[in-house]
Amino acid sequence: MGKERVTVIDIAHAAGVSKSTVSLVLQASPLVNEVTRAKVNAVIRELGYVYNRGAANLRQSNSKSKIIGIVVNDLTNSFFAELAVGVDMVVQSAGYVQFLANTAESVDRQREVIASMREHGISGLILSPARGTEAADLKSLVASGIPVVNVVRQVAGAKVSSLVSDNHAGVSAAVRHLAGLGHHRIAFLGGFPDTAVFSERLQGYRDALSDMDLAVHDELVVSSAPSRAGGVAAIERALLLRERPTAAVCFNDAVAFGVCDGLRAHRLDPGEDFAVIGFDDVIEAQTAVPALTTVSVDPQGMGRRAAQLLLKQINAGRAEAEAIVSSVRLVVRQSCGSASDKRERLSLL
Amino acid sequence: MGKERVTVIDIAHAAGVSKSTVSLVLQASPLVNEVTRAKVNAVIRELGYVYNRGAANLRQSNSKSKIIGIVVNDLTNSFFAELAVGVDMVVQSAGYVQFLANTAESVDRQREVIASMREHGISGLILSPARGTEAADLKSLVASGIPVVNVVRQVAGAKVSSLVSDNHAGVSAAVRHLAGLGHHRIAFLGGFPDTAVFSERLQGYRDALSDMDLAVHDELVVSSAPSRAGGVAAIERALLLRERPTAAVCFNDAVAFGVCDGLRAHRLDPGEDFAVIGFDDVIEAQTAVPALTTVSVDPQGMGRRAAQLLLKQINAGRAEAEAIVSSVRLVVRQSCGSASDKRERLSLL
């Protein structure tokens, strides 16, 4: 659709260099010195030349674009926006551009966006799989040899690298902290029960209760969508119990914020009347009032690590699957009440 | 990098149809009946065939990919995530895939991601320009004839379509509502002063104060980053004033949530001790406690409208610039206190 298509020859003329020098600059070759490169790039910007990467890819025997794809399952959860920002930091400095697509938990949409990304020759893919993704869904992608890093959620049997959090240890630490503050009725709120992440976190909850010699009550496990609205719904149901919980470990920070909202709607003060712990450590966890105690995954950091893992595979030229479980740590802020506060409050009751 | 590349001939054999039928299915031609299309698509999925869109684009005289690019300036603001979800709804049903990139307010990064999207033959671009974008930055893009819709922020002199909110009317309505509730000292909190959106909203604030015969005090205008953390910082500064405001219109919902956080940190109850109004109406505005009174832009709706405007231009085959100013409406919820509450509270003071 271009009006007057600028060619490599136009650029070579304007910059006073040879056509092949321009080509080398376009290919980011190290054979061109900095001064020449800067001059050529200035002319390219000035004339508005667009490198036809599609054509270039077809011409090159070793077809490589400079795109990293990232496909997430819920862009409205700020965790994924932060993850994408982390990925961007790393791929940008490596000379890649990141294209992001959202599946909104639809396996069908996931198939479409991955197909489109493959058509456009992505160098690698970071995928937080939609709920219900099976190894078969990733089979042809794996067979193609494109490096893939699954984040957040693993897909059983898929032969791709994965970077997930230590869900069991994170929730266990949170439960032990609450038990140490004197809580006996600790709820586990939010999350879809049909996901591996939920199972791992729930197991961490159960094991920690047993470790602390606390009874496990199934009624204290209230699943919901892993969103702020889901958190409001979950705490509503938990507050209807005859014996109410006094604390909750939430599936993620979004749920935890919703739980805080729901508590306030009942005139209960999160951090004072009810202890709340999240999972993720999104940016808002620090600035929220009360600041959220949470299991820190550091979404941007996870994005950076996933990007580094992917780039390593791209540069190695082969996709050898690695499974990495990131350690997590409990960051204690105000939403769970401090040990001393708790004792003070209990002594007043 | 494929191991054994599946060809159109393989698919034709397996599906028991001709090669040209497979080609027609790949081009989404209406000439193929539904039964045949379904059969061919099933084989394509089974064999893991990847349509080489880059090669196809080069083969076709009327080169068109099926990608819509969306470039946003701050993916960590949930407004943009919701906008992208709205765009996705529309482009998906039109058979497009959306690739999103984040500039984090960097004009340099914006240049890179737009260049990369152009290389990959996007059909059109939805752009929320990075702070400081000038018409010159979009010149070669415009010259290429690729349809562009600027959202949220306009770029003066750029010959592209734009879809922005009626910023002046929105903030004016918010100020008049607060004045009607009896507030005399109304602050305007948050936002970068060097943006057109800020200027328009600030003018709406000033004009409405004048309309309501209230004095305009420059000290009540406190700019900050348009984020939750920015909101916390802005209210901190506003509360240091000798004569404190009793209400605030905030640059956007993110700032408003931060203002609510900051008020709580000072043991002030948003909606009871201080009235807060936001701008955007992100999903969280409804579920927050107190639910946020805000100027509703409906980010998903804006995304849908922007996508429709873009598709109209793509289908028309020419990029005729249209400037649309979306009307907005004030949605009154709890964070500004109701009229009756206000009178009650004032009578107690």
Side-chain angles (χ1 to χ4, degrees):
Chain A
M1 289 200 257
K3 282 176 183 165
E4 287 171 17
R5 195 170 169 86
V6 177
T7 66
V8 170
I9 298 168
D10 299 332
I11 294 166
H13 274 296
V17 300
S18 72
K19 218 181 89 179
S20 43
T21 301
V22 175
S23 294
L24 288 172
V25 170
L26 288 172
Q27 291 159 39
S29 161
L31 299 173
V32 186
N33 71 50
E34 271 313 305
V35 177
T36 309
R37 183 193 311 281
K39 191 166 59 178
V40 172
N41 278 328
V43 172
I44 287 172
R45 272 197 298 277
E46 197 184 313
L47 298 184
Y49 176 77
V50 177
Y51 186 41
N52 190 332
R53 182 87 61 191
N57 282 345
L58 290 175
R59 277 194 306 268
Q60 285 169 15
S61 56
N62 182 12
S63 162
K64 288 214 178 179
S65 78
K66 294 295 262 184
I67 303 179
I68 300 291
I70 172 167
V71 175
V72 302
N73 55 286
D74 180 11
L75 190 54
T76 63
N77 181 346
S78 67
F79 175 89
F80 292 104
E82 292 179 30
L83 181 93
V85 167
V87 170
D88 220 19
M89 285 175 185
V90 172
V91 303
Q92 180 174 352
S93 58
Y96 287 83
V97 162
Q98 167 189 256
F99 289 169
L100 180 147
N102 180 36
T103 61
E105 300 286 12
S106 157
V107 174
D108 285 342
R109 187 62 175 160
Q110 179 172 281
R111 187 189 314 115
E112 288 170 9
V113 299
I114 292 177
S116 182
M117 285 181 170
R118 286 178 67 187
E119 288 168 15
H120 287 277
I122 50 168
S123 302
L125 178 70
I126 292 173
L127 172 67
S128 176
R131 198 177 161 199
T133 302
E134 295 172 2
D137 295 316
L138 304 181
K139 207 178 144 197
S140 95
L141 180 64
V142 173
S144 74
I146 296 172
V148 178
V149 173
N150 275 357
V151 287
V152 184
R153 297 172 175 173
Q154 268 170 320
V155 175
K159 297 187 183 71
V160 302
S161 291
S162 60
L163 177 64
V164 298
S165 302
D166 194 337
N167 293 305
H168 186 281
V171 170
S172 290
V175 169
R176 283 197 301 271
H177 183 77
L178 290 171
L181 293 176
H183 292 281
H184 300 293
R185 286 186 69 77
I186 302 167
F188 181 77
L189 302 181
F192 290 130
D194 61 351
T195 61
V197 174
F198 184 92
S199 303
E200 290 165 19
R201 293 186 186 173
L202 182 61
Q203 198 58 49
Y205 164 80
R206 290 194 167 131
D207 290 350
L209 287 177
S210 301
D211 287 353
M212 302 299 284
D213 291 320
L214 291 175
V216 178
H217 299 284
D218 283 346
E219 61 182 17
L220 291 177
V221 177
V222 183
S223 62
S224 75
S227 63
R228 195 158 185 139
V232 174
I235 187 69
E236 287 289 339
R237 278 159 57 205
L239 291 178
L240 290 176
L241 293 172
R242 180 184 286 269
E243 271 195 85
R244 286 180 169 187
T246 59
V249 176
C250 301
F251 179 75
N252 63 14
D253 287 352
V255 168
F257 293 132
V259 166
C260 289
D261 288 344
L263 288 167
R264 281 191 202 103
H266 283 266
R267 297 269 152 197
L268 293 169
D269 237 338
E272 302 211 346
D273 304 318
F274 194 102
V276 179
I277 299 186
F279 201 111
D280 281 347
D281 203 14
V282 298
I283 294 169
E284 191 185 329
Q286 279 179 54
T287 58
V289 176
L292 189 67
T293 294
T294 187
V295 177
S296 180
V297 166
D298 177 13
Q300 285 200 10
M302 185 175 229
R304 286 195 302 271
R305 287 191 298 279
Q308 283 154 356
L309 182 56
L310 188 69
L311 288 174
K312 194 176 79 174
Q313 296 189 2
I314 291 169
N315 294 331
R318 67 210 155 88
E320 202 164 289
E322 276 183 75
I324 298 177
V325 177
S326 260
S327 62
V328 294
R329 64 192 177 93
L330 184 70
V331 178
V332 178
R333 299 196 183 101
Q334 282 83 51
S335 69
C336 62
S338 74
S340 57
D341 280 6
K342 180 69 187 173
R343 272 195 297 273
E344 220 173 277
R345 193 165 64 78
L346 284 176
S347 68
L348 292 174
L349 291 177
Chain B
M1 292 201 254
K3 283 175 181 167
E4 286 173 14
R5 197 171 167 86
V6 177
T7 67
V8 169
I9 299 168
D10 299 331
I11 294 166
H13 273 297
V17 299
S18 72
K19 219 181 89 179
S20 42
T21 300
V22 175
S23 294
L24 288 172
V25 171
L26 288 171
Q27 291 159 38
S29 161
L31 299 174
V32 186
N33 71 51
E34 270 314 305
V35 177
T36 309
R37 183 193 311 284
K39 190 167 60 181
V40 172
N41 278 328
V43 170
I44 288 172
R45 272 196 299 278
E46 197 183 314
L47 298 184
Y49 176 77
V50 176
Y51 187 39
N52 189 331
R53 183 87 61 189
N57 283 344
L58 290 176
R59 278 195 304 270
Q60 286 169 15
S61 55
N62 182 13
S63 161
K64 288 213 175 176
S65 80
K66 296 294 264 182
I67 303 178
I68 300 292
I70 172 167
V71 175
V72 303
N73 54 288
D74 180 11
L75 189 53
T76 63
N77 181 345
S78 67
F79 175 90
F80 292 105
E82 292 181 30
L83 182 93
V85 167
V87 170
D88 219 20
M89 285 176 186
V90 172
V91 302
Q92 180 174 352
S93 58
Y96 286 83
V97 162
Q98 167 190 258
F99 288 168
L100 180 148
N102 181 36
T103 61
E105 299 287 9
S106 158
V107 175
D108 285 343
R109 186 65 175 158
Q110 180 172 281
R111 188 189 314 113
E112 288 169 8
V113 298
I114 292 177
S116 180
M117 285 182 172
R118 286 178 66 188
E119 288 169 14
H120 287 277
I122 49 168
S123 301
L125 178 69
I126 293 173
L127 173 67
S128 176
R131 197 175 160 199
T133 301
E134 295 172 2
D137 295 316
L138 304 182
K139 206 177 143 198
S140 94
L141 180 63
V142 173
S144 74
I146 296 172
V148 178
V149 173
N150 274 357
V151 287
V152 184
R153 297 174 176 174
Q154 268 170 320
V155 174
K159 297 186 182 73
V160 301
S161 292
S162 60
L163 177 63
V164 298
S165 302
D166 193 338
N167 293 305
H168 186 280
V171 170
S172 290
V175 170
R176 283 197 302 272
H177 184 77
L178 291 172
L181 293 176
H183 291 282
H184 301 292
R185 286 186 69 79
I186 302 167
F188 181 77
L189 302 180
F192 290 129
D194 62 350
T195 60
V197 174
F198 185 93
S199 303
E200 291 166 19
R201 293 185 186 174
L202 183 61
Q203 197 56 50
Y205 164 80
R206 290 195 167 131
D207 291 349
L209 287 177
S210 302
D211 287 353
M212 303 299 284
D213 291 320
L214 292 174
V216 177
H217 298 285
D218 283 346
E219 62 182 16
L220 291 177
V221 177
V222 183
S223 62
S224 76
S227 63
R228 195 159 184 140
V232 174
I235 188 67
E236 288 288 338
R237 279 159 54 204
L239 291 178
L240 290 176
L241 293 173
R242 180 184 285 269
E243 272 194 85
R244 284 181 171 187
T246 60
V249 175
C250 300
F251 179 76
N252 62 15
D253 287 352
V255 168
F257 293 132
V259 167
C260 290
D261 288 344
L263 287 168
R264 282 192 204 102
H266 283 266
R267 296 270 151 194
L268 293 169
D269 237 338
E272 301 212 346
D273 303 318
F274 194 101
V276 180
I277 299 186
F279 200 111
D280 281 346
D281 202 14
V282 298
I283 293 169
E284 191 186 329
Q286 280 179 53
T287 58
V289 176
L292 189 66
T293 293
T294 186
V295 177
S296 179
V297 166
D298 177 12
Q300 285 201 10
M302 184 174 231
R304 286 196 302 271
R305 288 190 299 279
Q308 283 154 355
L309 181 56
L310 187 70
L311 288 174
K312 193 177 80 175
Q313 295 188 1
I314 291 170
N315 294 331
R318 64 209 158 86
E320 202 163 288
E322 278 183 74
I324 297 177
V325 178
S326 259
S327 61
V328 293
R329 66 193 175 89
L330 184 71
V331 178
V332 178
R333 298 196 183 101
Q334 281 84 53
S335 68
C336 63
S338 75
S340 57
D341 281 5
K342 180 69 188 173
R343 271 196 296 275
E344 221 173 277
R345 193 166 63 78
L346 284 177
S347 67
L348 292 174
L349 291 177

